[in-house]
Structure formats: structure tokens, C-alpha cells
Amino acid sequence: MKILTSFLLLVACCMAAFGAKAAEKGIIRGKVIEEVGALPIPFAVVAIFEGAAEQPLSTIQSDENGIFKFVNLKPATYRLRVSYVGFASLVVNDIIITEKDFDKNLGNLKLSNEQSNLNEVVITAPKPLVEFGADVITYNVGSSILAEGSTATDILKNVPMVQVDIDGNATIAGKRSTRVFIDGKPSDYMTSNITDLLNVLPSDAIEKIEVMTNPPSKYSGDGEGILNIVMKKGFKVGFNGNIGITAGLQGNTNTNANASYRGKNYNLNGSAAYRQNIGKGNSESYRTNFFPDTTFYYNQFNNNRNKSDGGNFRLGFDWDITPKQSLRISTNYNINNSNSRSGNDFYYLNEDQIATRLRNQQNLGDGNSHNFVFNADYNLQTDTVGGKLTMGITANTNANNDLRSYNRTYAFPANLNPSLQQNDNEISNQGLNFNLDYDKPVFKKRDQLELGMAFNYRKNDNDLLVQNFNYQTEQYLTNKALTNKFFYNEHILSGYASYNLRLNGWGFKGGLRAEYTDVNFDLSTGANYHVDPYLSLFPNVSINHYFKKRYNFGATYSVRINRPRENTLNPQVNNADTLNISYGNPDLSPAYTHQMDFSFGAFGQKWSFTPRISYSTARGVIERYRMVKPNGVSESTFDNVGTNHAIALMLIGNFRPTSKISTNGNFSIIQSRYSSKLNSSLNRDGLSLRASLGFSMQLPFKTAFESYVNYANNINAQGRNKGSINSSFGARKTFFKNTLSARISTSDPFGRRNNNSFNQGTNFTSQSYSTNNSSNVSFSLNYRFTKVKVNKVTIPPPPVPVKQ
């Protein structure tokens, strides 16, 4: 009996040990291959999720042969998401690990080409919020709580390495010139003011934002970096969409709707949004003017209020004509309206700092703009080994009208006459872009040859009418000195070739882009300018090595250009502030930048860390240059201020301590050194700092929390924008099987956003301080409706042992 009892205890212990082993050593494995050709896909991103969790439990990359393996998994139900650039994502649901069945081999997981994918493989799973690559950072908008019910401008504030200033202009850390693309095409050809488009473009229409620090040869050579906004295409089979509304305590509202229907070989998608916003702010500036015989001071105090509203409407049609041909057509219409009023007090102080004059100015503004874009892309699969031909055309037209009045009176001395001025500015733009691209594997291996050409045409007409009120005749008379018409025409013909090779953990990419630029512009005064056509070459080389399944090293070199365009060339004078006038410089030359980046990535199951070092040399840097005349009037214009050498250290990473908590952060420190023959005050150097920290957490009862804090401190050729902080926090709860979500968010809860700047010239110093009503609390409701056909992936059964 004792022997039997001991035997049973021994069996129980063995079973417990075996169960613990199964609990600790669950395995999910498989191989990622291409659907066409069955070639393995190395370094595909494979994320595993436990149950219905929105954050991945672990994220790894497939090895050189496309093989991946997750180990030490406990008994549970999992799902897998596999993604790789240029291919449609694949999701495998309901992978069950049990004590008895703890080793799951999923076999070959086939990824289909993104353009030729006809069916949604499975119900979509949430993507990681931020994905890091060798020369691109991807921010998946749909994974952000704060993105719901917001606009593109709001989203960009939380994208790693991106800073958005008070005017809504987005830049990449360490880059002086950043271009914004929509679906891989320049947005500046689509609107006269990109900030107007981003302020109304709804977040629910955006799939992801790509930060390209070293854009490939396929993209235009303009700008030291590119922000590419990728719009949703609506690939799900069936009918789906969402309706949302957001309202804030500041009086801002945002409503949007998106819908798409996909049949067997076609897809219809569209979106509409309406935004209303109220902005308030105040500022003050102090300028000291140094001259050989005297020193005097100008102090200025301003307040402003702006109310704006706008709408955005998009419609798209995707048609898979045959398994090898597809056509995509999209249109976009954007409209904005605004009215503003502001007040300015100008104090003139002598060298004893005694006020000798006080001028009051009241400003009224009324503006509207609208633009229309038509885009068509045709794709043809030329063979069975991956050859693809793409042809695209984009046409756009937009118009902007801005009417402003300036009423100037003097509090003292009383004998100075008042003045009333009215500026009517009408701007129109037309553009046409054509591109033809072809890519194909050369040796049927892990390589790709890309060839392409493009033609871009742009026309800008700027009609400025300035009138001054005659108090004797009580009529407005045209000010011929300030009234002018500016006509701008630009033609760019370009071609490129690049070759990519991935072999045994190494990735090589080399390319050359050539652009022939022809620009001419003139004024109604009779002044004509024709820039001599010039040819620019843009080499692009990168190398990347992935080793030991957790490390990645990359190095890149490229040449970029910053072309002067109508906003910097137009010599029309803006005298809205008669003490600080501004105008463009028609004699500007292009600025070229040589830039190199070195990156290193380390990846664990719960963390990633990717430090980068960047070095750039820019010659003929185009920046705003300010000077003070003997009468005390400050004149600012653009100039090729000199050469800038910059070295930057960027630290980017994320950490996921649990499956429900995720953090990500980035820190940049940039050392800039300007040297100039234009003015000794432009010979300066200093540090720019930028940092961002994000945190998200999945809470019980289908609740989630997310927060971001951003900091920026930047140097320029003539001064510095001092440190500014902005923050945002949001919480979301979902109802009714995740179809309805409610979100409450707050921006800058600890105080209004402040912006401070310092500028210095040979005969002046200036300090400015401004605040705006960025502190706000908003509430959002979003309803998602989906009727989707699902094609599930079948997990192959384990192989049956063969008897010997």
C-alpha cells in the first residue's frame, strides 16, 4: 500500500512538473513568405497579442530565412500580426496554447502585395503605436487614443521627432526644411497653405504618419526630411466606417464621418469633416536699438482673437480591373473661413527709457480659401516575379482671399494724424504632377531595381491691393508703392534609378535622382526674373545590417535641396506692423544639404532602443534675416545667410513592462554652427533640445489611458526660440462590443502654452513672449459600424509521426 501511494505521488509530481513545463514553454513558430514566388521575407515584424489586448505582448523580427519563434508562452489564446513594408498585413486569430498542445507551428504565412490585395485576410488587429525602421519612423494613428476626434495637426504634435509650432507648421528634429507629403505626393502642390489642410484633415481618415529622415530616391529632392501622411484606403471586405463628434470647453468642435464599401474587385471610400475653432492669445516684445549717437527702445503689446471654421471632403474609388491591373482615383475638397481681430500698443522710448509716443492699432481680418485635388494612379503587374509599373497624375487648383484693415491712432502726441489702411490679397495656385515608376527583382533574389520619372508644374498668382483712406475725400485711394501682382511659374523634370539588395542579414540601397528646374516670375511693376535653369543630382546610399536576431545597424548618406519658392521670393511688402515690415527676396539661390546618419537598434521582447547620430552640412542656408534701419524700422527678408554645420544625437526607444502598459520616448540634442559673410551677427553656434515622452495603459472595463509631454528649444541663424512645453492626456472607454467609444482629453492642463524667442543683429536685440489658449478639455464620441467578411487562416495540423 505504501509502495502504491508513493507511486501515485511520483506520478502526480511528474504531471505537475510537465504542466509547469507546458505553462512556461509554450511555443508559436512559423515562416513568413511572399504570396507570389514564395520567397522568404527576412526582418518582417511579427507581433503577438494575448486575448483581446490592444498592446502586443511581444514583438520580434523574422530571421534571414523568414523564420520566427515565440517561446515561454503560458496556456492562453493568442493572435499574431505579421507586417512588412510594401505588403498587406496578415493577422492569425485564435491560436490556442494548452498544457497538452503547447507547440504551434503555423507553417508558411503568405504576405500579398499591398496594391494587389483583394481581400482582408482577417479582422484587423491593433498595430503598435510606433514602429522604428532604419530611416523611417511610423506612427500608427489608429492605435492612439488622443488621435480620435482630432485633426492631423493634433496628431503630429505626438509623433516622435516631430515638432509643431504655434502656427501649425510641422518640422523634423534637426532638419531646417521639412516637406509634408500626402500618400507619397507633395502636399504643397495641393494647397496654398498646408497648415489649413492639416487643421481640418480628420484623424479618422489617416492610417499612419511616416517620418523619413533620409527619403529614398523615389521622392523629390526637396527638403531635408519628409512627413508622409498615408490616408486610409478601406481595404476591408464589406461596408464599414465611423461617425464622430468632439466638443471642447474653448468653443472648438469637430465632426467627421468615414465610410467604405469593398466588393470583390472594387472599393468605394469617402470622408467628410467640419471643424470650428476659437483661438485667443497675447504677446509682448521688447526691442533695443543701438546706434552710434543714441540708443532707443520699442515695446509692443498685442492681443488677438481668431475664429475659424472649415470642411474637408474626400472621395475615392479603387478598382482591381484584373488580378494584374488596378486603378485608384481620389478627390479632395477643402474649404476654410476665418475672421480675426487684434489690438496693438506701440511704445516709443528714448535713451532715458521715457515714452515719447504711444500708438494704438486695431486690426480686423476676414479670410477664406478653398482647394480641389484630383489624383489617379494606375498599377500594372508586368510579370509573375514581382515586376510592377505605376503611373500617376495629380491636378490641383486652389484660391485664397484675405481682406485686412489696420486702423492706427496716436494716444500721444495728439498732433499726429491717424491712418486707416486696407489690404486685399488674392492668391491662386494651379499644379499638375505626373509620375511613372517601374520596379522589379533583377536576379529573382532578394533585390529590387526601381526606375522612374516625374514632371511637376506649378503656377502661383498673388494679387495684393493696398488702399489708404483719405479723410478729406472720405475715399480709399490705391497705394501704388505697396500694390503689386506677383506671377510665379515652376517646371521640374526629374528621373531616378535605385537598386536595393537584402542578403544574409544585410541590406544595401543605392540610388541617384536628377532634377532639372526651370523657374521664372515677374511683377506687375514690370520687373522680370528668370532663374537660369539648373540641373541637380541627389545621390542616396544606405547600408543596414541585422544580426543576432536583436540588433540592427544602419548608415545613410544623401544630398537634399531647399528651393526658394513664392513665399520666400515674392518682394511684396507686408507693412501690417509698420515698425516690423517684411518682404521676400527674388535673388535667392537654392540651398544644398549633405547629410549622413548612423543608427543602431537593439530589440528585446519588451523594449527597443535606437540611438542615432546625424551630421549635415548645408550651404546657402535660406532663413529669415532681420535688420534695423536708422529710423528704427525693422526689415526682415529671406537670404542665403551662409553655411550651417549640424551634428545631432537622437535617442529613441520604447518599453512595454506588461502587455497592458507601453511607453515610448525620444530625445534630440543638436549642435548647430552658422558661419556667414553676410553679417557678423550670423556667426553663431548653440544647442537645440527636443524631447517627447508618451505613456499608454489598458485598464479594466475596456478603458484605456494615454498621455504625451513634448519639449522644444531651437536655435536659428539670428537667435533662439526658447524652451516651450506642451502636454496632452486622454482616457477612452468602449461600449457595445467596441462599436462605441467615449473619450475625454485635456491639452496643456498645467498652464497655457508659452513661446519665448530672442533675436540679435549688429544694431539691435529683441525679446518676445507669447501665450495662447492651448489649455482645453474636450469630449468625443465615436461610433464604428462594420459589416466585414472574414477569411480566416487555417493553422496546419502537426505532422503525423511516420513509423519506421
Side-chain angles (χ1 to χ4, degrees):
M1 189 66 178
K2 291 182 180 181
I3 296 175
L4 180 59
T5 303
S6 300
F7 177 75
L8 293 175
L9 288 173
L10 180 62
V11 172
C13 291
C14 291
M15 292 180 64
F18 181 80
K21 180 180 179 180
E24 296 175 355
K25 293 192 176 182
I27 298 173
I28 296 177
R29 68 181 84 204
K31 184 177 182 179
V32 186
I33 64 173
E34 294 183 13
E35 185 178 55
V36 178
L39 291 172
I41 300 179
F43 320 126
V45 178
V46 187
I48 188 170
F49 300 80
E50 182 179 355
E54 295 189 17
Q55 297 294 333
L57 179 66
S58 178
T59 301
I60 61 175
Q61 289 183 308
S62 59
D63 65 14
E64 294 86 346
N65 300 312
I67 296 172
F68 67 89
K69 182 179 180 181
F70 290 96
V71 297
N72 298 329
L73 300 174
K74 65 181 181 180
T77 300
Y78 298 91
R79 73 179 186 277
L80 220 63
R81 178 182 175 274
V82 186
S83 60
Y84 191 74
V85 176
F87 292 85
S89 298
L90 174 72
V91 179
V92 182
N93 282 326
D94 301 327
I95 308 171
I96 302 174
I97 297 292
T98 66
E99 294 181 356
K100 295 183 178 180
D101 187 8
F102 58 87
D103 190 345
K104 292 287 186 179
N105 187 343
L106 306 183
N108 292 331
L109 300 182
K110 300 178 181 179
L111 298 190
S112 60
N113 185 279
E114 203 164 27
Q115 275 73 31
S116 62
N117 184 36
L118 301 181
N119 295 304
E120 175 77 354
V121 180
V122 292
I123 298 175
T124 337
K127 300 179 182 179
L129 183 60
V130 183
E131 296 177 281
F132 302 100
D135 51 10
V136 62
I137 296 174
T138 302
Y139 184 88
N140 294 304
V141 175
S143 300
S144 172
I145 298 169
L146 293 170
E148 290 184 359
S150 60
T151 64
T153 300
D154 300 320
I155 299 170
L156 285 166
K157 295 176 182 178
N158 298 325
V159 176
M161 292 184 64
V162 176
Q163 181 191 3
V164 181
D165 66 17
I166 192 172
D167 297 318
N169 300 307
T171 55
I172 300 175
K175 309 293 182 183
R176 281 171 302 279
S177 56
T178 300
R179 298 190 75 192
V180 179
F181 280 46
I182 306 291
D183 281 335
K185 297 187 178 182
S187 64
D188 45 14
Y189 290 94
M190 303 179 186
T191 175
S192 59
N193 189 349
I194 180 60
T195 58
D196 288 342
L197 175 61
L198 299 181
N199 277 330
V200 77
L201 189 62
S203 61
D204 285 307
I206 302 173
E207 179 182 349
K208 59 186 177 182
I209 296 176
E210 297 173 330
V211 182
M212 299 182 184
T213 55
N214 182 43
S217 299
K218 182 178 181 179
Y219 290 89
S220 165
D222 272 296
E224 296 178 12
I226 289 177
L227 294 173
N228 185 34
I229 299 176
V230 181
M231 308 303 296
K232 289 181 179 176
K233 310 300 189 301
F235 285 119
K236 292 180 181 178
V237 178
F239 182 65
N240 60 91
N242 70 277
I243 301 174
I245 183 171
T246 299
L249 297 182
Q250 294 281 7
N252 56 308
T253 59
N254 187 350
T255 59
N256 65 85
N258 294 272
S260 68
Y261 178 79
R262 185 166 184 85
K264 183 178 180 181
N265 64 343
Y266 69 93
N267 172 59
L268 286 169
N269 59 83
S271 69
Y274 172 77
R275 170 194 58 85
Q276 186 177 63
N277 188 64
I278 297 177
K280 301 176 183 178
N282 55 74
S283 63
E284 52 191 69
S285 64
Y286 305 89
R287 173 151 58 91
T288 302
N289 308 283
F290 304 101
F291 288 94
D293 56 343
T294 184
T295 297
F296 57 97
Y297 309 86
Y298 285 163
N299 296 341
Q300 182 174 335
F301 302 89
N302 312 308
N303 63 80
N304 63 81
R305 184 182 187 276
N306 178 277
K307 183 178 180 181
S308 62
D309 64 272
N312 179 266
F313 308 91
R314 302 178 67 87
L315 184 64
F317 174 69
D318 300 341
W319 179 27
D320 299 310
I321 306 170
T322 69
K324 294 184 177 182
Q325 300 180 77
S326 65
L327 176 67
R328 180 186 171 217
I329 298 175
S330 65
T331 61
N332 178 84
Y333 180 73
N334 194 66
I335 186 169
N336 284 275
N337 300 285
S338 67
N339 61 77
S340 62
R341 66 173 185 263
S342 61
N344 314 100
D345 295 328
F346 300 89
Y347 287 86
Y348 302 68
L349 291 82
N350 61 22
E351 59 184 353
D352 297 322
Q353 298 195 20
I354 298 174
T356 59
R357 276 185 292 169
L358 170 58
R359 192 188 75 190
N360 307 116
Q361 179 170 313
Q362 297 298 319
N363 311 311
L364 297 176
D366 186 12
N368 62 81
S369 67
H370 58 86
N371 69 80
F372 176 77
V373 180
F374 172 83
N375 184 81
D377 292 290
Y378 172 77
N379 296 281
L380 173 65
Q381 184 179 329
T382 58
D383 50 53
T384 59
V385 294
K388 184 178 64 175
L389 179 70
T390 302
M391 181 173 61
I393 186 170
T394 301
N396 73 282
T397 179
N398 61 71
N400 180 80
N401 180 256
D402 190 19
L403 180 63
R404 296 185 180 273
S405 64
Y406 311 102
N407 188 5
R408 305 171 180 123
T409 59
Y410 287 88
F412 63 87
N415 61 341
L416 296 177
N417 295 325
S419 67
L420 178 61
Q421 178 178 314
Q422 182 173 280
N423 290 16
D424 188 0
N425 197 190
E426 296 183 356
I427 303 173
S428 65
N429 289 273
Q430 289 81 41
L432 180 67
N433 302 329
F434 173 79
N435 66 279
L436 183 66
D437 303 283
Y438 178 73
D439 56 87
K440 178 182 179 179
V442 179
F443 302 109
K444 298 183 180 180
K445 296 181 180 180
R446 188 61 54 195
D447 72 333
Q448 194 82 2
L449 175 65
E450 298 179 352
L451 303 170
M453 61 174 293
F455 173 75
N456 300 322
Y457 167 71
R458 179 174 183 160
K459 179 183 178 182
N460 173 269
D461 293 343
N462 190 320
D463 186 356
L464 175 63
L465 172 63
V466 180
Q467 295 178 309
N468 295 106
F469 187 74
N470 187 311
Y471 287 90
Q472 294 180 347
T473 62
E474 296 186 349
Q475 291 180 325
Y476 278 101
L477 302 179
T478 299
N479 186 328
K480 295 182 178 180
L482 298 179
T483 297
N484 210 338
K485 294 183 180 180
F486 176 81
F487 306 96
Y488 175 88
N489 288 276
E490 176 186 274
H491 304 78
I492 300 178
L493 178 64
S494 57
Y496 76 92
S498 67
Y499 180 72
N500 307 334
L501 175 65
R502 300 192 303 272
L503 187 65
N504 298 325
W506 289 88
F508 303 92
K509 182 189 299 182
L512 180 66
R513 184 179 183 91
E515 295 185 349
Y516 180 80
T517 306
D518 185 13
V519 172
N520 63 81
F521 54 96
D522 56 80
L523 303 172
S524 59
T525 57
N528 295 306
Y529 301 87
H530 186 273
V531 180
D532 290 336
Y534 56 93
L535 178 67
S536 304
L537 299 179
F538 305 100
N540 185 303
V541 180
S542 68
I543 182 172
N544 187 270
H545 180 43
Y546 179 78
F547 56 100
K548 294 186 178 180
K549 300 183 180 180
R550 63 181 304 173
Y551 300 108
N552 187 296
F553 170 79
T556 65
Y557 167 76
S558 64
V559 177
R560 309 292 296 173
I561 188 174
N562 182 16
R563 288 183 177 88
R565 287 194 165 92
E566 64 271 19
N567 292 333
T568 56
L569 294 169
N570 187 351
Q572 293 174 341
V573 176
N574 181 350
N575 74 331
D577 179 351
T578 55
L579 295 180
N580 298 279
I581 66 174
S582 61
Y583 46 87
N585 180 0
D587 297 319
L588 289 173
S589 300
Y592 292 89
T593 300
H594 296 255
Q595 55 187 25
M596 295 179 288
D597 291 295
F598 302 92
S599 63
F600 176 80
F603 307 89
Q605 288 191 351
K606 297 183 177 181
W607 59 272
S608 69
F609 180 57
T610 54
R612 299 184 180 196
I613 295 178
S614 174
Y615 176 78
S616 66
T617 298
R619 302 187 183 279
V621 175
I622 300 175
E623 287 194 15
R624 186 173 287 280
Y625 169 59
R626 187 177 184 184
M627 51 204 152
V628 174
K629 298 297 183 178
N631 60 359
V633 175
S634 164
E635 296 186 7
S636 66
T637 186
F638 293 92
D639 214 321
N640 297 102
V641 297
T643 301
N644 177 266
H645 302 276
I647 184 168
L649 171 64
M650 291 164 276
L651 307 177
I652 308 168
N654 59 33
F655 177 56
R656 301 174 299 277
T658 72
S659 61
K660 299 183 181 298
I661 297 177
S662 177
T663 62
N664 65 81
N666 64 91
F667 172 79
S668 303
I669 179 170
I670 304 127
Q671 169 69 40
S672 299
R673 180 167 58 87
Y674 287 88
S675 58
S676 174
K677 297 180 180 179
L678 180 68
N679 192 299
S680 60
S681 67
L682 300 175
N683 295 318
R684 67 173 61 242
D685 59 78
L687 294 175
S688 299
L689 302 175
R690 298 185 182 185
S692 175
L693 180 64
F695 175 83
S696 63
M697 175 185 293
Q698 300 296 320
L699 301 171
F701 308 109
K702 295 184 178 181
T703 305
F705 171 82
E706 185 176 325
S707 65
Y708 267 92
V709 179
N710 303 288
Y711 171 83
N713 184 327
N714 306 313
I715 190 174
N716 55 50
Q718 213 166 9
R720 171 182 295 278
N721 294 321
K722 298 183 179 180
S724 63
I725 299 176
N726 65 83
S727 58
S728 52
F729 302 85
R732 179 188 64 194
K733 179 173 174 55
T734 58
F735 306 88
F736 308 119
K737 297 182 179 180
N738 298 329
T739 58
L740 179 67
S741 65
R743 186 203 68 173
I744 185 170
S745 63
T746 176
S747 59
D748 294 331
F750 306 114
R752 304 172 72 184
R753 184 176 179 182
N754 298 307
N755 292 271
N756 305 328
S757 63
F758 172 80
N759 282 274
Q760 182 179 26
T762 54
N763 59 357
F764 78 92
T765 60
S766 175
Q767 296 190 61
S768 301
Y769 309 90
S770 65
T771 62
N772 64 1
N773 63 329
S774 58
S775 299
N776 193 19
V777 177
S778 60
F779 180 76
S780 303
L781 282 175
N782 193 72
Y783 175 72
R784 300 182 186 276
F785 50 91
T786 305
K787 188 176 181 181
V788 180
K789 178 182 177 182
V790 179
N791 296 333
K792 293 187 176 180
V793 175
T794 304
I795 302 174
V800 179
V802 179
K803 294 183 179 180
Q804 300 294 330

